[in-house]
Amino acid sequence: GEHSVSKHEIFEQYLGIYIERVTRNRSQTMRNLTIVDGFCGGGPYRRGAGEAEGSPLRLLRAVEEADAALKAARIKGFQVRADFVFVDENADHIAFLRDVLIKRGFGPRIGQDIFLHESTFEEACPGIVERIQQKGRAHRSLFFLDQYGWSDVRLATVRGLFASLRNPEVILTFAVDALI
């Protein structure tokens, strides 16, 4: 529905603004970043008679656009070195997303800087944290946790992210109807 489209627009805009803010130092030529979509779905989805891009595609686009803008604006150039981690427990969603990514030219990046996990976010989280920690000291990471209700992500897991990583940000959604 419209609420999903609005959430995905917010995620895309937030990521663009976030990258702009963490790259303000004009002497920087590179920024490491890990973007985690803990409930990624299959990518595009039906919207009325048409199709809408889901969060994985919007997040990929937001980084590409920010990277291109930074490259053009900086004399020394710039590179946003982003890893994308897409998690969904539904095997069909992950298979569909893989197919969409391949068809849209992202295929060679799967396993390089795009990682697909068929599991719950809770199960995948320790490995994701470890990957971020191995990437460098800053641990710059964004977690988009657009769960289906209110109980798919334990608050202890969110606390663990903040305790284990230096610079994580977490956007955690709750379905208010489920809470009520």
Side-chain angles (χ1 to χ4, degrees):
E2 282 304 310
H3 67 285
S4 292
V5 173
S6 296
K7 276 191 295 190
H8 294 149
E9 287 173 357
I10 290 167
F11 290 174
E12 183 177 2
Q13 290 171 7
Y14 185 88
L15 181 53
I17 293 166
Y18 174 87
I19 291 171
E20 185 265 319
R21 296 277 159 81
V22 299
T23 58
R24 284 193 169 166
N25 182 343
R26 304 290 290 173
S27 65
Q28 280 183 312
T29 59
M30 186 269 299
R31 168 62 69 196
N32 278 326
L33 177 62
T34 302
I35 299 154
V36 180
D37 187 345
F39 300 85
C40 67
Y45 55 93
R46 285 193 184 104
R47 180 178 175 211
E51 183 177 274
E53 287 191 333
S55 52
L57 301 171
R58 287 177 171 269
L59 296 173
L60 285 161
R61 181 175 56 236
V63 170
E64 285 180 344
E65 289 174 359
D67 186 55
L70 286 163
K71 277 180 175 52
R74 302 277 174 99
I75 294 168
K76 295 181 194 176
F78 199 89
Q79 181 183 18
V80 177
R81 289 180 30 186
D83 284 346
F84 297 86
V85 181
F86 299 125
V87 181
D88 200 290
E89 66 181 320
N90 185 316
D92 292 335
H93 291 173
I94 292 296
F96 189 77
L97 178 58
R98 179 184 305 276
D99 187 55
V100 167
L101 291 172
I102 290 168
K103 287 178 180 171
R104 295 194 182 190
F106 295 103
R109 293 175 53 187
I110 297 173
Q112 301 298 313
D113 68 336
I114 297 174
F115 303 94
L116 306 175
H117 293 275
E118 179 193 325
S119 86
T120 66
F121 174 74
E122 291 284 337
E123 291 168 350
C125 190
I128 294 168
V129 168
E130 186 177 323
R131 177 181 295 281
I132 293 168
Q133 290 170 333
Q134 292 172 353
K135 206 173 164 183
R137 293 184 327 228
H139 303 163
R140 214 132 320 250
S141 49
L142 280 169
F143 290 80
F144 293 92
L145 304 178
D146 187 16
Q147 59 189 337
Y148 300 112
W150 60 274
S151 62
D152 291 331
V153 177
R154 297 176 313 143
L155 291 180
T157 301
V158 176
R159 279 193 301 274
L161 293 172
F162 289 114
S164 302
L165 302 170
R166 290 180 187 224
N167 292 298
E169 290 203 20
V170 176
I171 297 176
L172 176 63
T173 61
F174 294 94
V176 175
D177 291 344
L179 280 173
I180 293 170

